[in-house]
């Protein structure tokens, strides 16, 4: 399909000549003689021009005024202005309005062609970018957070509320693989900064010096190897979000510089003279207990309090095993798609193994396990033997250790009373291999009472 070019030119001879010239070069040309017709064509959305080539002065007005008026509707088109008597003021205004270029009559057709080709490339790049950002926005909607336990529903509600307010900083804490990175992306892409960049930096991945130059940027010659000026991540994230992952690993010196930047909303590139204003929202994540790091003198308490204006604790998967009901099918579907499989039958014993496992690597571990199983499946049955969940081989967490003879229950309001009851029943049934007599004995109750509750919560047991 040809790309669309809109020509706005009132001189009939020139207009026709231009239209013929560009049609020969495979453009789908629309020619209008005045701004009113151009506006009607653009707002009817019958065409979506990649490039607009417009005369400056038209019988019904000035094309720059026109661009200013309809700018919001045509942000993915590039504009080139052609004029008989261009003035410097006009060209400055054209650039300010985001026009691609400005050319005086009479113009050489080949030069004009080069300009139009350049403008087309630029518009295509812009369209690709906005398409990508749209895809990210779709990918990181609030529904990307799967799980229907009341803990996850509360978490989703909190994320949704936070995304509505213009917070300046937030700390997300939680064990590895619980979804901190995913939540940071959801917060950015569903918030008011979604159209600006989200810049991610893993503070544990770089040595201190490199981390500093990455964050703040540098001027040419600031240090050996600094050949060219480099804009740091703070600048790149301007008007958007800076996601500082594993912030607990950041060196104390650098923490001081970070605090200054966050408080002053200004940074200075390494080797730079002047300060640069920045407008960034900071999301920091850590799987370390930051308040304990503060007590140990490993994390600055003032930075901690400055960033901790809002905080979000992401619970481990073992605190919300009910989410498995949605996570497992979601990961199976995703991997079916990726590897062209059709796994859909999960046996009861596979479910039971997954429910009784403690998932020290949380949702990342679950997602990897499911990926392996789907990849190795030979038919539509979920291959249970590929689960390979050995509780012993994974380092037991504090909670798991406590839970060997009893049950670990988070008492932070994240489980409702009913969920606690269901969770206890499920855990006991898992441990007794769903044997009602043994489970009733463990809970000091009768088989009848237990059966009633098993039915109430729609659990499974052997009669
Ligand atoms: N509730 C969820 N629903 C669907 N996918 C999830 C959910 N939580 C996490 N994931 C997926 O699990 C994987 C691990 O999540 P993520 O990388 O966000 O964890 P993390 O907390 O940042 O881990 P780490 O501390 O190791 O960096 C990702 O692929 C993420 O998309
Ligand atoms: Mg992460």
């Amino acid at each position: 399909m040809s790309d669309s070019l809109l020509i706005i030119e009132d001189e009939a001879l020139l207009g026709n000549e231009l239209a013929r010239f560009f049609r020969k070069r495979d453009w789908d040309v629309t020619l209008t003689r005045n701004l009113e017709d151009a506006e009607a064509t653009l707002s009817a959305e019958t065409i979506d021009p990649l490039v607009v080539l417009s005369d400056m002065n038209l019988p019904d007005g000035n094309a720059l005024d026109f661009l200013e008026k309809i700018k919001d509707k045509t942000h993915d088109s590039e504009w080139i202005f052609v004029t008989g008597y261009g003035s410097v003021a006009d060209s400055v205004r054209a650039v300010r309005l985001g026009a691609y270029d400005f050319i005086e009559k009479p113009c050489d057709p080949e030069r004009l062609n080069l300009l139009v080709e350049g403008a087309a490339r630029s518009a295509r790049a812009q369209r690709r970018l906005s398409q990508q950002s749209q895809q990210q926005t779709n990918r990181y909607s609030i529904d990307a957070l799967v799980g229907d336990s009341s803990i996850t529903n509360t978490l989703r509600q909190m994320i949704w509320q936070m995304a509505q307010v213009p917070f300046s900083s937030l700390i997300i804490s939680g064990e590895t693989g619980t979804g901190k990175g995913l939540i940071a992306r959801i917060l950015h892409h569903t918030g008011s900064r979604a159209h600006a960049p989200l810049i991610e930096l893993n503070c544990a991945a770089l040595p201190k010096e490199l981390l500093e130059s990455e964050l703040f940027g540098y001027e040419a010659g600031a240090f050996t190897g600094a050949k060219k000026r480099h804009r740091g991540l703070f600048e790149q994230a301007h008007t958007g979000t800076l996601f500082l992952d594993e912030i607990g690993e950041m060196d104390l010196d650098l923490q001081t510089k970070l605090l200054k930047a966050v408080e002053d909303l200004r940074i200075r590139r390494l080797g730079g003279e002047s300060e640069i204003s920045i407008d960034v929202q900071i999301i920091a994540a850590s799987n370390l207990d930051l308040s304990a790091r503060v007590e140990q003198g490993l994390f600055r308490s003032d930075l901690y309090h400055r960033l901790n204006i809002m905080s979000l604790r992401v619970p481990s998967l073992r605190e919300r095993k009910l989410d498995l009901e949605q996570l497992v099918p979601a990961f199976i579907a995703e991997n079916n798609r990726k590897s062209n499989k059709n796994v859909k039958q999960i046996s009861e014993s596979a479910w039971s193994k997954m429910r009784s496992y403690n998932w020290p690597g949380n949702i990342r571990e679950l997602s990897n396990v499911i990926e392996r199983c789907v990849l190795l499946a030979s038919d539509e049955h979920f291959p249970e033997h590929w689960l390979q969940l050995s509780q012993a081989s994974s380092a037991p967490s504090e909670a798991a250790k406590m839970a060997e003879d009893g049950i670990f229950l988070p008492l932070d309001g994240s489980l409702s009373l009913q969920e606690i009851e269901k969770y206890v029943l499920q855990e006991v049934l898992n441990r007794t291999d769903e044997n009602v007599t043994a489970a009733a004995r463990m809970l000091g109750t009768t088989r009848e009472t237990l059966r009633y509750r098993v039915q109430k919560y729609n659990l499974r047991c052997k009669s």
Side-chain angles (χ1 to χ4, degrees):
M1 207 179 80
S2 304
D3 288 318
S4 157
L5 173 71
L6 172 65
I7 300 178
I8 314 174
E9 174 60 70
D10 60 322
E11 285 177 42
L13 213 58
L14 179 61
N16 289 334
E17 196 185 317
L18 286 173
R20 209 169 27 247
F21 178 84
F22 283 105
R23 278 192 189 115
K24 262 201 226 146
R25 277 157 188 77
D26 209 26
W27 282 92
D28 178 8
V29 178
T30 306
L31 175 63
T32 63
R33 309 243 179 252
N34 54 50
L35 297 174
E36 195 188 335
D37 289 352
E39 186 169 8
T41 315
L42 286 171
S43 35
E45 291 185 17
T46 44
I47 56 163
D48 178 18
L50 201 57
V51 181
V52 181
L53 189 59
S54 176
D55 191 6
M56 187 67 86
N57 292 299
L58 289 135
D60 53 349
N62 175 284
L64 288 177
D65 294 337
F66 177 63
L67 173 58
E68 189 157 26
K69 184 173 138 203
I70 61 149
K71 210 162 100 198
D72 290 342
K73 287 190 217 149
T74 65
H75 43 249
D76 281 343
S77 308
E78 287 288 12
W79 287 64
I80 299 173
F81 290 100
V82 189
T83 177
Y85 37 92
S87 73
V88 175
D90 272 352
S91 61
V92 170
R93 187 164 167 231
V95 171
R96 197 168 50 74
L97 285 172
Y100 181 78
D101 216 329
F102 188 91
I103 182 169
E104 277 184 38
K105 283 182 197 168
C107 44
D108 166 37
E110 284 311 321
R111 212 184 129 226
L112 187 59
N113 188 38
L114 280 180
L115 266 187
V116 168
E117 288 299 326
R121 271 194 300 278
S122 161
R124 277 190 209 104
Q126 266 179 47
R127 286 179 184 200
R128 261 197 307 275
L129 265 181
S130 52
Q131 205 183 355
Q132 274 166 6
S133 121
Q134 189 55 46
Q135 280 166 354
Q136 296 290 63
T137 306
N138 296 343
R139 186 164 165 209
Y140 295 117
S141 75
I142 191 78
D143 296 333
L145 193 87
V146 175
D148 204 20
S149 65
S150 73
I151 298 190
T152 301
N153 284 326
T154 308
L155 186 67
R156 202 180 288 111
Q157 179 69 22
M158 286 166 80
I159 295 170
W160 189 83
Q161 276 181 303
M162 280 179 177
Q164 310 302 306
V165 296
F167 64 86
S168 61
S169 51
L170 157 75
I171 296 185
I172 307 179
S173 62
E175 289 178 16
T176 179
T178 46
K180 300 182 295 295
L182 175 66
I183 291 171
R185 283 170 216 136
I186 294 176
L187 278 167
H188 173 80
H189 290 289
T190 56
S192 59
R193 292 173 178 251
H195 297 294
L198 165 68
I199 303 285
E200 303 192 20
L201 174 67
N202 185 327
C203 302
L206 295 177
K208 178 193 156 200
E209 289 74 23
L210 214 56
L211 196 57
E212 181 172 1
S213 62
E214 271 304 299
L215 266 178
F216 297 102
Y218 49 82
E219 295 292 342
F223 48 84
T224 342
K227 292 205 183 86
K228 277 198 284 188
R229 162 185 292 172
H230 175 68
R231 288 169 70 239
L233 299 181
F234 261 117
E235 280 179 75
Q236 293 177 37
H238 185 57
T239 72
T241 306
L242 183 60
F243 174 39
L244 300 173
D245 205 359
E246 306 204 31
I247 195 160
E249 304 284 345
M250 190 182 270
D251 166 273
L252 277 168
D253 266 357
L254 198 52
Q255 288 179 25
T256 311
K257 291 179 183 152
L258 175 63
L259 176 65
K260 191 167 168 358
V262 175
E263 295 213 306
D264 300 352
L265 295 177
R266 267 196 221 111
I267 55 132
R268 197 193 289 262
R269 296 189 190 122
L270 302 188
E273 299 274 311
S274 52
E275 293 202 310
I276 301 163
S277 298
I278 42 154
D279 164 19
V280 269
Q281 171 180 59
I282 296 200
I283 301 182
S286 177
N287 49 29
L288 304 169
D289 179 352
L290 279 184
S291 57
R293 303 268 298 172
V294 169
E295 274 165 35
Q296 293 158 2
L298 295 170
F299 202 84
R300 287 189 61 127
S301 78
D302 42 10
L303 177 62
Y304 175 69
H305 292 297
R306 178 63 187 73
L307 295 178
N308 206 27
I309 293 181
M310 294 226 218
S311 66
L312 203 59
R313 189 186 88 84
V314 192
S316 65
L317 180 54
R318 64 180 173 280
E319 292 167 67
R320 42 174 170 143
K321 281 194 190 165
L322 287 175
D323 284 347
L324 285 170
E325 315 289 324
Q326 293 81 38
L327 283 167
V328 171
F331 287 142
I332 290 183
E334 185 186 326
N335 285 289
N336 272 341
R337 249 191 330 271
K338 265 200 244 162
S339 43
N340 214 6
K341 299 273 178 155
N342 186 27
V343 176
K344 48 186 180 196
Q345 306 278 353
I346 312 171
S347 67
E348 271 316 307
S349 83
W351 272 116
S352 159
K353 280 183 183 153
M354 288 191 274
R355 287 193 191 109
S356 56
Y357 184 58
N358 264 324
W359 301 106
N362 294 294
I363 300 175
R364 176 177 302 108
E365 184 184 9
L366 174 71
S367 139
N368 292 342
V369 165
I370 304 274
E371 181 179 353
R372 174 177 66 223
C373 289
V374 172
L375 207 61
L376 293 168
S378 43
D379 53 22
E380 58 177 51
H381 293 94
F382 185 84
E384 188 185 330
H385 53 282
W386 284 116
L387 274 174
Q388 300 176 327
L389 305 173
S390 86
Q391 204 75 273
S393 68
S394 53
S397 64
E398 274 308 299
K401 266 187 271 170
M402 278 168 58
E404 267 167 26
D405 309 322
I407 286 180
F408 172 75
L409 286 172
L411 296 176
D412 54 1
S414 54
L415 279 184
S416 68
L417 202 54
Q418 283 218 334
E419 274 177 341
I420 291 182
E421 188 175 41
K422 182 173 177 189
Y423 180 73
V424 170
L425 286 168
Q426 180 67 65
E427 201 60 34
V428 171
L429 286 168
N430 288 341
R431 289 183 200 187
T432 56
D433 202 19
E434 297 179 5
N435 180 312
V436 179
T437 313
R441 200 178 310 125
M442 237 186 211
L443 291 167
T445 184
T446 62
R447 294 174 53 193
E448 287 63 38
T449 310
L450 187 66
R451 253 205 218 95
Y452 165 74
R453 275 161 210 265
V454 163
Q455 267 175 12
K456 174 176 163 194
Y457 293 114
N458 206 10
L459 300 172
R460 272 167 294 256
C461 67
K462 292 177 189 150
S463 53

